[in-house]
C-alpha cells in the first residue's frame, strides 16, 4: 500500500499492515497502518536470500508488494541534504517503537533510531543506535514545527518521517538512502514463529511493564530460551536499570542478533511452514519507503549473518538537563568521527571511532 507520510497529531495511531499479498483497491482503503516502528528488516532480507529459494522468488515478491509503504522523502529539500561521498554504499534509517507499551498512548513516538550502514562490498553491516533523547538541532517542518534544538525523537511528532530524515541527516551528515519502520511489538510474533530465541541475561531483573496479566516478569541471570512475550518484555524494559535507555538499546541489539542466529540455524530455512510464518509475521511489522526493494536488498545480503553485524551506540557524554527536560548529551567530536567514517565507507574505522 502506498501513501504519503504527512505530519500526524500525537493522538493519531498507525497500525501494522495486515495483508502480505497484493491488496485490492477496497483492501487498500481498509488496511490499518503501522502503529510504530527496528532492525527486523535487515534480519529478514538476509535470512530470506540465504535460503536460496528460487521458487520462492514470486512468493517473496507477493509479500514485498503487500508491505506498507511511506513517502519518507516528501518535502525534504534536496539542497539541504548531504552529498553522496562513497558511491555504492547504502545507509538505511530504521525507526522502531513498541505499540504494546502501556505508556504509549500516541502513534508519534520513535523509541529506537538506528542508522544502518551497508558497505559497498555488502560483506557486513554496521548499526549505530542513536538514543531517542539525544539533544540535537531539529529543522523546521513545512507545518512550522521544530526549527530549534530538541530531543531527536521530537522530529517525528513534529513532521513525521520526512522531518526525521532531515534531522538525522543534519545530525550525522550522512545521506539516508532508505527508511524502514518496525513495530517492536511484532517481535512477539516473529520470535514465536521461530520457536523462541536464546538470550544470555547478564544480570537478573524484574520487568513491571510485562505482557503477563499481572504486568510483571522475572528475568534470571544466565542463558535461556525466550518465547515472543518474554523477548518483547526483555527488549523494551528500561526502568529496571540505572542506565535506562542505554541498557534497553543493548538488549534490543541482543534480541535482533538472536533472531538472526535462530532464523539462520534453527531449521527455518529448510521448513516451508516455519519460513512462511516467519515471513508473514515480519511483513506485518514492517513499513518501508516507496523506493526500497526488499527483494533486491535480500539478494545483495544473502551471505550476511549475525557475526558480520556490528552493533554500536552513538558516542555520548551521558545525560543532562536542558530546561526542564532530561536529555542525552552527544559527544560531538567522537560522534563526528563515527559518522565521517560512515560517509567514507571506512568500515574498519567505525568500531574504533565508537569507543
Amino acid at each position: 500500500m502506498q501513501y504519503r507520510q504527512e505530519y500526524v497529531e500525537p493522538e493519531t495511531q498507525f497500525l501494522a499492515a495486515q495483508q502480505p499479498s497484493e491488496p485490492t483497491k477496497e483492501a487498500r482503503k481498509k488496511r490499518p497502518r503501522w502503529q510504530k516502528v527496528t532492525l527486523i528488516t535487515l534480519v529478514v532480507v538476509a535470512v530470506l536470500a540465504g535460503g536460496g529459494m528460487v521458487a520462492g522468488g514470486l512468493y517473496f515478491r507477493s509479500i514485498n508488494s503487500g508491505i506498507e509503504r511511506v513517502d519518507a522523502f516528501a518535502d525534504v529539500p534536496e539542497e539541504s541534504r548531504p552529498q553522496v561521498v562513497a558511491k555504492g554504499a547504502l545507509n538505511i534509517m530504521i525507526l522502531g517503537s513498541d505499540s504494546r507499551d502501556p505508556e504509549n498512548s500516541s502513534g508519534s513516538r520513535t523509541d529506537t533510531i538506528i542508522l544502518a550502514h551497508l558497505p559497498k562490498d555488502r560483506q557486513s553491516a554496521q548499526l549505530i543506535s542513536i538514543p531517542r533523547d539525544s539533544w540535537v538541532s531539529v529543522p523546521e517542518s513545512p507545518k512550522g514545527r521544530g526549527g530549534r534544538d530538541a530531543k531527536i525523537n521530537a522530529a517525528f511528532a513534529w513532521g513525521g518521517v520526512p522531518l526525521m530524515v532531515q534531522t538525522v541527516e543534519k545530525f550525522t551528515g550522512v545521506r539516508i538512502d532508505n527508511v524502514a519502520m518496525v513495530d517492536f511489538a511484532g517481535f512477539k510474533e516473529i520470535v514465536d514463529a521461530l520457536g523462541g530465541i536464546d538470550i544470555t541475561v547478564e544480570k537478573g531483573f524484574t520487568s513491571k511493564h510485562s505482557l503477563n496479566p499481572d504486568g510483571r516478569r522475572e528475568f534470571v541471570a544466565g542463558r535461556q530460551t525466550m518465547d515472543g512475550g518474554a523477548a518483547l518484555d526483555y527488549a523494551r524494559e528500561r526502568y529496571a536499570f540505572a542506565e535506562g535507555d542505554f541498557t534497553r538499546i543493548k538488549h534490543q541489539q541482543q534480541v535482533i542478533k538472536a533472531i538472526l542466529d535462530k532464523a539462520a540455524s534453527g531449521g527455518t530455512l529448510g521448513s516451508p511452514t516455519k519460513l512462511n510464518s516467519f515471513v508473514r509475521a515480519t511483513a506485518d511489522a514492517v513499513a518501508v519507503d516507496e523506493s526500497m526493494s526488499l527483494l533486491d536488498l535480500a539478494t545483495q545480503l544473502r551471505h550476511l549473518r549475525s557475526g558480520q553485524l556490528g552493533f554500536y551506540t552513538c558516542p555520548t557524554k551521558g545525560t543532562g538537563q536542558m530546561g526542564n527536560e532530561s536529555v542525552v548529551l552527544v559527544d560531538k567530536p567522537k560522534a563526528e568521527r563515527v559518522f565521517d567514517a560512515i560517509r567514507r565507507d571506512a568500515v574498519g574505522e567505525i568500531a574504533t571511532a565508537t569507543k
Side-chain angles (χ1 to χ4, degrees):
M1 173 179 174
Q2 296 188 351
Y3 65 94
R4 286 189 171 271
Q5 175 72 27
E6 299 178 350
Y7 168 74
V8 292
E9 294 298 332
E11 65 269 15
T12 302
Q13 294 197 8
F14 294 86
L15 301 176
Q18 300 296 313
Q19 301 181 30
S21 58
E22 181 64 26
T24 62
K25 290 184 178 179
E26 182 178 357
R28 287 174 183 267
K29 294 179 181 179
K30 292 182 178 180
R31 176 184 291 170
R33 295 175 180 174
W34 65 289
Q35 263 184 331
K36 300 185 334 166
V37 269
T38 175
L39 189 43
I40 303 173
T41 301
L42 287 182
V43 170
V44 173
V45 296
V47 170
L48 284 176
M53 297 174 61
V54 177
L58 292 177
Y59 170 76
F60 186 54
R61 284 188 176 89
S62 175
I63 295 292
N64 187 59
S65 68
I67 291 176
E68 194 77 12
R69 297 282 172 170
V70 56
D71 192 347
F73 302 98
D75 301 320
V76 178
E78 181 60 35
E79 62 273 15
S80 71
R81 305 194 66 194
Q83 296 298 309
V84 175
V85 177
K87 293 184 178 180
L90 194 66
N91 298 301
I92 303 173
M93 182 178 71
I94 302 171
L95 304 177
S97 193
D98 178 11
S99 60
R100 295 185 187 179
D101 187 339
E103 285 188 277
N104 179 30
S105 58
S106 74
S108 58
R109 277 175 37 181
T110 53
D111 293 330
T112 300
I113 303 164
I114 296 176
L115 179 60
H117 176 71
L118 305 182
K120 181 179 179 179
D121 63 13
R122 300 295 193 268
Q123 295 302 303
S124 63
Q126 292 71 45
L127 301 120
I128 295 85
S129 294
I130 302 173
R132 65 178 190 167
D133 292 337
S134 298
W135 193 251
V136 303
S137 175
V138 178
E140 186 174 340
S141 75
K143 300 283 188 178
R145 306 292 298 276
R148 64 179 180 85
D149 289 349
K151 294 180 181 181
I152 194 168
N153 70 343
F156 189 79
W158 290 341
V161 179
L163 191 59
M164 277 300 299
V165 170
Q166 282 186 267
T167 301
V168 171
E169 287 190 338
K170 182 176 182 179
F171 171 56
T172 65
V174 175
R175 188 180 180 95
I176 303 300
D177 299 296
N178 293 110
V179 174
M181 300 175 289
V182 183
D183 182 357
F184 261 108
F187 269 167
K188 182 180 186 300
E189 286 71 24
I190 289 169
V191 171
D192 285 340
L194 291 171
I197 56 175
D198 294 326
I199 294 287
T200 298
V201 179
E202 184 177 11
K203 184 178 180 181
F205 65 92
T206 300
S207 171
K208 297 181 180 179
H209 300 84
S210 170
L211 294 179
N212 286 333
D214 63 356
R216 297 174 63 88
R217 190 187 300 270
E218 299 288 338
F219 289 93
V220 297
R223 188 172 179 81
Q224 54 209 265
T225 299
M226 296 185 185
D227 63 12
L232 177 56
D233 286 345
Y234 183 76
R236 74 183 184 182
E237 178 61 46
R238 64 183 182 277
Y239 294 111
F241 315 111
E243 292 189 331
D245 203 43
F246 292 101
T247 299
R248 179 168 68 167
I249 287 173
K250 292 178 183 177
H251 287 179
Q252 288 172 350
Q253 293 173 344
Q254 269 188 290
V255 170
I256 290 163
K257 184 177 184 297
I259 288 174
L260 181 54
D261 284 338
K262 184 62 176 289
S265 61
T268 301
L269 300 179
S271 168
T273 301
K274 288 184 179 180
L275 184 59
N276 178 66
S277 298
F278 179 55
V279 173
R280 288 182 179 276
T282 304
D284 285 346
V286 175
V288 300
D289 71 86
E290 293 179 334
S291 66
M292 189 174 188
S293 170
L294 296 186
L295 183 58
D296 290 345
L297 191 58
T299 302
Q300 295 176 40
L301 302 179
R302 62 186 178 276
H303 301 302
L304 201 62
R305 292 295 178 265
S306 64
Q308 296 160 292
L309 299 181
F311 293 96
Y312 311 101
T313 300
C314 176
T316 71
K317 296 179 179 179
T319 58
Q321 288 290 130
M322 289 293 178
N324 61 354
E325 295 187 85
S326 176
V327 305
V328 171
L329 302 173
V330 176
D331 188 327
K332 293 183 178 179
K334 287 186 177 181
E336 171 56 29
R337 289 195 289 273
V338 173
F339 299 125
D340 178 63
I342 291 174
R343 283 192 294 270
R344 294 183 289 106
D345 196 23
V347 174
E349 298 179 24
I350 296 174
T352 303
T354 58
K355 296 179 180 179

